[in-house]
Amino acid sequence: MFVKKNYLKLIFCLLLIFQGGLACGQQQAQEEEERFKLESLELKRQYDFGDESSTYLTIKAWEALGKKDYDAVWAYTQKCIDLYRDAARRQQSSLRAFPPREKQSVFNALNNVATCYFIRGEALMRQNKWQEAREIFRIVVENFSFAQYWDPRGWFWKVAEKSEETITKIDKQVREEGQVLEEIEPSRPLSKLALFEPGLEVIVDYAKYGRFENAGTKDYRYIITDQVGLAQAAGVGVYPNTTSVRRDPGYLALKGTDRLKGNHWDFLYTNDMQANFYKWNMAPEPQGVKQFYIAFTLERAGLIKQAVKAYYAIVVHFPGAIGWTYWHTPWYIGPVAINKINYILRRHPELGLKLEGAKIKIENSFDNDVRNDVAICNPGRLVKCSPEELIPQRQDLSKLKIIQRRGGKGVQLVQYKNGHWQLLVKGEPFAVRAVTYSPTKVGQSPDEGTLGNWMEEDFNQNGKIDGPYEAWVDKNHNNIQDENEPNAGDFQLMKEMGVNCIRLYHHPQKVNKELLADLYENYGIMAIMGDFLGAYTIGSGATWYEGTDYANPGHQKNMLDSVRKMVAEFKDEPWVLFWLLGNENNYGVANNAKINPRAFYRFVNEAARLVHKIDPSRPVALCNGDALFLDIFAEEAPEVDIFGANAYRGKEGFGNFWQDVKEEAGRPALITEYGCGAYIEGQKCRPCIEGAQAEYHRGNWEDIEYNMAGYGAGCALGGIIFEWLDEWWKAYEPARHDWKGQFYGPFPDGVMHEEWLGICGQGDGTKSPFLRTLRKSYYTYQQLWK
C-alpha cells in the first residue's frame, strides 16, 4: 500500500513537472512568436515589402542588388523564400518540362523563388564570397530546374542554366586564384572532313535526272526520274544522297564510339568536323533543315564546292522548308540558302560559278503564322562564269529621272525611275555609315540604375568629357597607357574609321547639344535622333509590368508629347540627319505591339505625321524588329519615309530583306542595328576571334552596299553598327566581362555574346572609360568606308 501510494505520488509530481514544463514551453513559443512579429515589423519599417507578392519582392531584390545594398538583398530574398518556397517546390514537382511563355504567370512562385536565390548568389559573388555563392547557385540547379525569369530585354532565361554557367565562372575565378573546385571538361578534338563520295558533277545537271514543273509559281516542284543517277552526281551529303555515308569507312570506324554520342545540335559548332558531318547526316530533322546544316558543316569544313551543291539542293527540293529560331519564330530556309550561295560565290571567285535567276518568295511570312504561308519558287541555275562577272555592275543614276521625293531640301530621299532610292544631304548622295555610340563605364548598369550619361561624364575632373575626347588606344594590350599611346578621343577614332553619323535617343538621358555640334563641325559626323515611342515604357507613362498600350489615349498623348518635344528641341540643329521612331517595339517587350500590331503601326503613322508637320525638312524612319509585321507596316504607316530594322541574320548579310521591303512597302530600307560579338566559346586565339567578327561585319556591309541605289534591290540607304564599345552589363554582372551567351543565333559559335559586340574593347576594365582596344573590325571598316 505504501509503495502504491508513493508511486502515485511520484506520478502526480512528474505530471505537475511536465505541465509546468509544457507551460514554460508554450510561454517560450509565444515569446518567440512575439519576437518574430517584432522583427518582421521592424523589417517592414526598414524595407518596403509592398503587397508581399513574390514578383514585388523579387523586383525589390534586383533593385537592392544594383545599389549594392546587400542587407536589403538578403531581406527581400529571405521574405520571398520564406513565403513562397513550399509553393515553388510544389510547382517544380508538378512539371516535366518548361511551361510555355503564356503560362508563366501560373508559376510565379517557382520563378521568383529561384530568381531570389540567384540574386543572393550574385550578391555573394560581388563580395568575393565564392564558395558561399557557389552553394546558393547549386540550390537553384538541384531544386528549381524548371524556373524561368523574364528578362526586361525581351526573353525568358532559365535560372538553373544561368546558375550552372555562373558556377563554371566561379570555378574559373577560384582556379585563377590558385584553388581548384572541379575540373572543366576538355573540348572535343579537332578533325578534318574528307568526303567518301564527293559526287561526279561540280554543277549538278538536274535536267538529266528529273524535270522542273511550274517554276516561278506556288505550284513549283522538281520531280526526280533517276534517283540513283542524281545521288551519284550530287555526292554524299547532298539530297537525295542520304545513305552512302553509312558505307563510309570513316563513319564505320566512329560508329558506336564516344565521338558520336550526344545530340546532333550539340555538334553544330564543334571543331570535330568529321563527327559533325556524320551526326547531321543521321539527324532526325525535317529534310530541309537537315540539308541546311549538312551544307553549313561542309562550308565550315572548307569543302566549298560540295557546300554550294548542298545549299542549292534546298532551293531545288525544299524551297518552302521551315526551321525555328530560339524565339520559336519561323525561319525560312530556302531564301537563306540562296543568300548563302551568293555569299560563297562572291568570296570564292576562283570557282567560276554564279547563281542565275533563283528566287524564293514566301507570301504571308511577316506574321509568324506558318499556316498561311505560300512559297513561290524559281530555282534558277548554277552556271559557269569568269570572276569579273561576279563583280556587281552599277547603273548610272544620273541618266535616270527622279519620280519621287520625300523630306526637304537639306535632307531628302529620292526615288529614280528604276525604283531605286537614295539619301541626299545638301544635294549630295549620303550612304549611312553609322555606329551606335553609348560608351559605358565598366561597373555601370541600367538594370541596377547606375548607368551614367556619357555626354557629361568627366571622371578625372579635368573639364573634358571622357569618351569623346580622352579615350586612348592600348596598342599592345597591356592595360597601361604607354608614352606612345596619347589621348585620341572616340570622336577622332570614329572619324578615322569613316563613320559619318551616330544613332542616339533624346531620352531618358539629357542630350548635350554643344557636344554634338562639335562632333558635326570638327569631325564631320551627324546624328540620327530617336524617340523610343514607348519601348521599355520610355515616354508612355506606363509601368513596366503594365506595358505601353498603343490603343490607350493616355499613353498615346504622353508619347506624342515626347516626340513633339524632341522635334521642337532639335529641328534647327544642322547635325540632325533624320528622325527615328522606336526600337524594335514590335517584339512586344513591355508593350502590346506584338499583340495588337495594327494599333502600333497606326500610332507610328500618327507620330510620323506629327514630325513632318513640325519639321518638313527631314525624313522619318521606323526602327522595327527585323521584318516582323512588314505587311501591316506597309498598310498602316504611309507617313514613315524609311523602313529601318534591327537585324542579325548572319555573316552573309540580310538575304531577302531588301527585296521584301522594296516589294511590300515600296520604301527605302536601313539596317538600324547589326553586329557580332568578339567572343567564341572555347577559342583562345584573339586574332582568330577578331577575324571572325571582322568577317561577319564585312559580309554584312557588302550586302548593304550591293543593294544600294544602282545595285541589286536598290533600296538600301546604309547601316548602323551595333556597337562602338563593349558594354559589360549585358549579362547582369557589370564589373565582369562575361562570356555567357544570351540566346542562340547565326554567330561564329551559334550564340549571341552581347557583352562583346563592340568594334572596340575595354581591356581588363581597370582603365574604363578611357582605354580602347581597336579590333580587326575597326580596320576592316576603315578599309571599306574610306
Side-chain angles (χ1 to χ4, degrees):
M1 187 71 175
F2 174 80
V3 174
K4 186 177 180 181
K5 284 183 178 178
N6 279 283
Y7 178 68
L8 292 172
K9 184 177 180 181
L10 177 63
I11 292 174
F12 181 71
C13 289
L14 289 172
L15 183 61
L16 287 175
I17 291 170
F18 174 73
Q19 288 176 337
L22 185 62
C24 288
Q26 288 174 339
Q27 182 179 356
Q28 186 176 3
Q30 288 174 352
E31 289 175 357
E32 286 289 335
E33 186 176 351
E34 288 297 321
R35 187 160 54 250
F36 178 76
K37 287 180 179 178
L38 287 171
E39 287 176 356
S40 297
L41 188 62
E42 179 61 30
L43 282 173
K44 281 189 174 182
R45 289 195 189 102
Q46 188 175 356
Y47 300 109
D48 172 20
F49 291 146
D51 61 359
E52 296 190 356
S53 68
S54 63
T55 298
Y56 186 85
L57 294 169
T58 306
I59 292 170
K60 297 298 289 185
W62 277 120
E63 291 175 355
L65 181 66
K67 297 173 183 175
K68 297 182 173 60
D69 186 349
Y70 300 125
D71 289 339
V73 168
W74 214 256
Y76 288 121
T77 56
Q78 190 63 52
K79 189 73 172 176
C80 183
I81 291 167
D82 287 343
L83 291 174
Y84 298 101
R85 178 169 45 199
D86 291 343
R89 286 174 172 165
R90 287 195 298 272
Q91 289 178 359
Q92 168 70 26
S93 64
S94 72
L95 293 169
R96 295 294 178 268
F98 287 102
R101 177 176 298 190
E102 61 272 14
K103 293 186 177 180
Q104 281 305 314
S105 60
V106 177
F107 298 93
N108 274 344
L110 170 62
N111 295 338
N112 291 324
V113 166
T115 302
C116 279
Y117 276 115
F118 183 88
I119 294 169
R120 277 192 167 189
E122 292 286 322
L124 290 166
M125 281 182 63
R126 295 178 193 197
Q127 299 171 79
N128 295 323
K129 298 177 180 179
W130 305 110
Q131 191 64 47
E132 294 172 60
R134 193 180 196 279
E135 291 170 2
I136 293 293
F137 288 121
R138 184 53 61 187
I139 290 173
V140 179
V141 172
E142 293 176 355
N143 296 281
F144 305 110
S145 60
F146 292 124
Q148 298 179 91
Y149 195 77
W150 177 252
D151 187 292
R153 285 162 254 167
W155 58 83
F156 280 104
W157 51 276
K158 298 175 175 60
V159 186
E161 181 181 285
K162 293 295 182 187
S163 297
E164 282 273 26
E165 293 173 355
T166 308
I167 289 170
T168 302
K169 180 165 61 179
I170 290 172
D171 294 348
K172 182 176 184 291
Q173 180 72 29
V174 172
R175 191 160 50 247
E176 289 173 353
E177 294 176 0
Q179 305 175 51
V180 177
L181 295 180
E182 63 182 43
E183 292 297 323
I184 304 297
E185 182 182 354
S187 59
R188 288 193 176 115
L190 174 68
S191 73
K192 293 184 178 180
L193 174 61
L195 295 179
F196 172 56
E197 291 181 357
L200 302 177
E201 298 177 7
V202 174
I203 301 177
V204 177
D205 185 356
Y206 281 95
K208 285 168 52 179
Y209 311 106
R211 65 178 182 274
F212 295 97
E213 292 187 352
N214 304 312
T217 75
K218 63 182 178 61
D219 298 316
Y220 161 80
R221 60 177 179 165
Y222 174 73
I223 299 175
I224 301 173
T225 56
D226 180 1
Q227 182 155 332
V228 173
L230 180 57
Q232 291 175 341
V236 65
V238 180
Y239 187 86
N241 193 328
T242 58
T243 58
S244 66
V245 70
R246 299 176 186 275
R247 304 192 304 272
D248 186 337
Y251 170 72
L252 295 173
L254 287 185
K255 187 178 179 181
T257 69
D258 289 344
R259 278 177 63 191
L260 288 182
K261 285 184 178 179
N263 187 284
H264 52 284
W265 290 107
D266 296 332
F267 282 71
L268 196 55
Y269 288 92
T270 66
N271 288 327
D272 191 346
M273 304 308 299
Q274 189 179 25
N276 186 338
F277 182 71
Y278 295 147
K279 197 73 180 179
W280 270 96
N281 269 275
M282 302 297 178
E285 297 289 341
Q287 194 64 56
V289 175
K290 179 175 172 178
Q291 181 66 80
F292 182 87
Y293 286 112
I294 292 172
F296 180 65
T297 300
L298 290 165
E299 181 187 355
R300 288 187 66 226
L303 300 175
I304 303 303
K305 292 179 181 178
Q306 197 72 358
V308 169
K309 284 197 287 185
Y311 283 127
Y312 188 60
I314 297 169
V315 180
V316 172
H317 300 287
F318 315 108
I322 297 172
W324 296 93
T325 69
Y326 174 86
W327 314 101
H328 202 68
T329 55
W331 165 56
Y332 298 100
I333 296 173
V336 177
I338 290 176
N339 199 38
K340 279 278 191 181
I341 295 168
N342 288 327
Y343 174 82
I344 291 171
L345 297 182
R346 286 198 303 265
R347 281 288 181 279
H348 296 275
E350 72 278 2
L351 295 179
L353 296 175
K354 69 176 179 179
L355 182 59
E356 284 186 343
K359 182 180 179 181
I360 298 173
K361 179 176 175 60
I362 310 295
E363 291 188 340
N364 308 317
S365 63
F366 307 118
D367 59 1
N368 283 343
D369 182 357
V370 300
R371 292 171 297 180
N372 62 359
D373 291 344
V374 177
I376 299 172
C377 176
N378 185 337
R381 58 179 187 149
L382 284 165
V383 297
K384 293 182 178 180
C385 69
S386 65
E388 291 75 22
E389 292 179 71
L390 294 172
I391 301 173
Q393 300 300 309
R394 187 175 188 274
Q395 298 180 49
D396 186 354
L397 299 175
S398 66
K399 298 179 180 180
L400 297 177
K401 181 181 178 181
I402 293 175
I403 60 172
Q404 186 178 172
R405 297 178 187 270
R406 300 180 78 135
K409 291 183 179 180
V411 182
Q412 188 177 74
L413 290 163
V414 295
Q415 186 181 31
Y416 297 95
K417 190 175 181 180
N418 64 349
H420 291 195
W421 287 91
Q422 194 167 48
L423 183 67
L424 304 179
V425 177
K426 296 180 180 178
E428 296 296 324
F430 188 99
V432 177
R433 301 192 301 265
V435 65
T436 298
Y437 183 74
S438 55
T440 304
K441 188 179 189 299
V442 168
Q444 294 181 349
S445 169
D447 297 330
E448 301 179 355
T450 57
L451 187 66
N453 185 351
W454 66 267
M455 294 191 183
E456 297 177 343
E457 289 175 331
D458 178 17
F459 286 102
N460 57 9
Q461 298 182 344
N462 66 350
K464 297 180 180 180
I465 298 174
D466 296 332
Y469 298 121
E470 296 203 280
W472 52 272
V473 178
D474 184 16
K475 298 176 182 176
N476 57 7
H477 297 266
N478 66 352
N479 289 287
I480 298 171
Q481 188 172 11
D482 300 313
E483 290 184 4
N484 66 337
E485 296 172 344
N487 292 351
D490 285 333
F491 285 0
Q492 180 62 31
L493 293 172
M494 286 193 291
K495 177 183 178 181
E496 293 175 2
M497 178 174 141
V499 173
N500 63 13
C501 57
I502 64 171
R503 168 192 172 194
L504 54 88
Y505 287 83
H506 78 108
H507 55 176
Q509 304 281 18
K510 181 182 177 182
V511 172
N512 186 332
K513 285 186 175 184
E514 292 74 19
L515 181 69
L516 296 175
D518 183 62
L519 176 64
Y520 173 62
E521 292 166 7
N522 293 308
Y523 301 91
I525 297 174
M526 303 181 76
I528 298 168
M529 181 64 71
D531 184 286
F532 280 110
L533 213 66
Y536 325 114
T537 70
I538 297 174
S540 71
T543 64
W544 179 269
Y545 285 92
E546 174 190 13
T548 301
D549 180 354
Y550 291 100
N552 181 312
H555 293 178
Q556 289 179 343
K557 181 181 181 302
N558 291 338
M559 289 184 284
L560 290 176
D561 286 346
S562 176
V563 171
R564 185 181 292 107
K565 178 184 175 183
M566 171 185 73
V567 181
E569 184 176 358
F570 299 105
K571 68 183 178 64
D572 296 325
E573 302 297 339
W575 42 263
V576 175
L577 181 61
F578 54 76
W579 310 104
L580 184 65
L581 298 177
N583 184 48
E584 56 191 36
N585 307 45
N586 58 316
Y587 287 156
V589 179
N591 70 68
N592 68 344
K594 188 174 182 179
I595 299 170
N596 191 356
R598 288 202 178 272
F600 170 64
Y601 290 108
R602 284 172 186 163
F603 179 71
V604 167
N605 197 60
E606 186 177 354
R609 184 183 296 115
L610 174 64
V611 175
H612 283 142
K613 182 178 179 181
I614 303 172
D615 177 26
S617 68
R618 295 181 179 90
V620 179
L622 170 70
C623 178
N624 208 60
D626 210 287
L628 179 63
F629 305 131
L630 174 61
D631 52 345
I632 300 177
F633 162 82
E635 294 172 10
E636 302 290 352
E639 290 282 340
V640 177
D641 304 299
I642 301 167
F643 183 80
N646 296 350
Y648 297 84
R649 294 196 178 188
K651 67 181 181 180
E652 302 80 18
F654 307 97
N656 56 336
F657 173 81
W658 310 108
Q659 201 66 33
D660 285 343
V661 174
K662 180 179 180 179
E663 294 177 0
E664 198 75 29
R667 271 162 274 182
L670 174 75
I671 302 297
T672 43
E673 269 189 30
Y674 69 98
C676 171
Y679 185 87
I680 297 175
E681 182 68 34
Q683 176 64 265
K684 299 184 184 300
C685 168
R686 182 169 55 82
C688 301
I689 295 170
E690 290 191 12
Q693 185 196 37
E695 181 185 13
Y696 189 107
H697 275 280
R698 178 183 288 277
N700 277 214
W701 180 257
E702 287 181 349
D703 186 57
I704 292 170
E705 204 166 47
Y706 291 156
N707 286 282
M708 286 183 176
Y711 300 100
C715 62
L717 300 180
I720 306 172
I721 299 166
F722 196 86
E723 59 187 326
W724 175 253
L725 187 68
D726 287 348
E727 295 179 283
W728 288 29
W729 57 269
K730 292 292 183 72
Y732 310 106
E733 292 153 2
R736 293 182 173 83
H737 207 183
D738 280 326
W739 62 83
K740 289 187 292 189
Q742 272 68 23
F743 53 86
Y744 299 110
F747 303 103
D749 63 353
V751 178
M752 165 62 96
H753 298 282
E754 284 207 87
E755 290 203 0
W756 298 80
L757 284 170
I759 296 297
C760 308
Q762 299 202 61
D764 66 3
T766 58
K767 299 298 187 296
S768 180
F770 304 103
L771 181 148
R772 303 287 182 264
T773 55
L774 302 183
R775 294 182 172 135
K776 186 175 180 180
S777 297
Y778 176 91
Y779 299 105
T780 298
Y781 279 110
Q782 200 171 60
Q783 177 191 38
L784 291 170
W785 286 358
K786 284 288 186 177

